[in-house]
Amino acid sequence: ILTFEIMGMLTGSPWLAAFAAMGVALNGNLAFHATVTYYENAALAWVFGAAYCFVQLWTQQERPAWWLGVFALFAALAVSTHERMAGFFLFTAPAAALRLWWLNRLNPHRLWETGRAVFGALMVGVVAFALANNVFVDGPRPLIEYFQSKSTVSINTAGRAGGWMSVVRNQIGVHNHAARLVLWNLGWITPILGFVGITRLWRMKTWAGLALLLFPLGYEVLSIGYPGW
């Protein structure tokens, strides 16, 4: 449903939106996960909700601060459900803030208005993250220790790599493996159609559609490329 809504806003065509939604609905991997109880299902639902708010922020100029706040809420819930979802917001969060600044560019108080909206969205995200992780009951220590353990694993993994060349080889290996999994899961037709769609977005200067690519790009950089994450 969210795919249909998002693509409908980007293309203005219910047929193209339905085609994209059917592509998601008929994906074998997603169809399998829909039949089981798995926490990534809920995490991806939050990510799709954030993507909906992100596209709203890029396609219309009404209530941008409100959409930024809801985007922060969904982002916090997604990361709380599964920390690897943080990659989806590596580039989209600053892009959303920059978009808000652009919408306020004609406002003589644009710095104040943008700063207030970004600070409000940040507070929404922090409070949602704290509530979702039970910080107000257990305190922040368990959460801090968990992320410290993740950081230690990542540093040790990078340290054992044996220099920059090994790090580069590792990066090539993990991204090559991710590409193979994408082809195995989707086949060749979907990536080809995706490439055609991206080139069309570029020619038509559909910045909202191009900005949406920041979601998978951030996931590829952080959640796949960062050792131990």
Side-chain angles (χ1 to χ4, degrees):
I1 294 173
L2 285 174
T3 301
F4 180 84
E5 291 292 332
I6 291 171
M7 295 308 297
M9 287 188 291
L10 290 176
T11 65
S13 170
W15 293 104
L16 292 177
F19 179 79
M22 288 298 295
V24 173
L26 297 177
N27 179 272
N29 191 25
L30 294 177
F32 167 76
H33 282 294
T35 63
V36 297
T37 302
Y38 194 48
Y39 63 95
E40 280 195 349
N41 296 347
L44 286 174
W46 299 129
V47 171
F48 268 79
Y52 178 83
C53 297
F54 186 78
V55 173
Q56 285 280 7
L57 194 60
W58 279 79
T59 55
Q60 53 96 10
Q61 300 183 13
E62 297 180 0
R63 300 182 299 170
W66 191 87
W67 287 114
L68 184 65
V70 181
F71 170 84
L73 173 64
F74 282 134
L77 294 176
V79 176
S80 299
T81 306
H82 190 0
E83 70 278 2
R84 294 194 70 178
M85 300 298 112
F88 286 117
F89 307 103
L90 179 65
F91 299 130
T92 53
L98 288 174
R99 173 62 177 173
L100 187 65
W101 179 86
W102 174 258
L103 292 176
N104 289 328
R105 68 191 183 279
L106 300 179
N107 189 331
H109 306 290
R110 59 182 178 275
L111 290 178
W112 165 253
E113 293 295 334
T114 303
R116 185 175 65 174
V118 170
F119 180 77
L122 181 63
M123 289 299 99
V124 169
V126 169
V127 172
F129 188 81
L131 287 171
N133 290 277
N134 215 27
V135 171
F136 295 113
V137 176
D138 296 332
R141 184 173 179 180
L143 192 63
I144 294 173
E145 290 178 348
Y146 174 74
F147 280 106
Q148 284 178 339
S149 68
K150 297 282 290 185
S151 177
T152 301
V153 170
S154 301
I155 293 172
N156 291 339
T157 303
R160 291 195 300 268
W164 282 106
M165 289 306 298
S166 295
V167 173
V168 171
R169 285 195 295 268
N170 175 265
Q171 288 294 301
I172 294 174
V174 295
H175 293 300
N176 181 51
H177 180 65
R180 289 203 306 266
L181 288 177
V182 169
L183 292 176
W184 172 79
N185 187 35
L186 300 177
W188 285 95
I189 299 298
T190 302
I192 291 174
L193 290 175
F195 178 77
V196 172
I198 292 171
T199 56
R200 182 175 177 82
L201 289 174
W202 179 261
R203 289 200 304 269
M204 297 178 63
K205 300 187 184 303
T206 307
W207 306 121
L210 293 172
L212 200 61
L213 296 174
L214 294 174
F215 278 93
L217 180 61
Y219 189 87
E220 186 76 19
V221 171
L222 178 62
S223 301
I224 293 178
Y226 190 62
W229 188 261

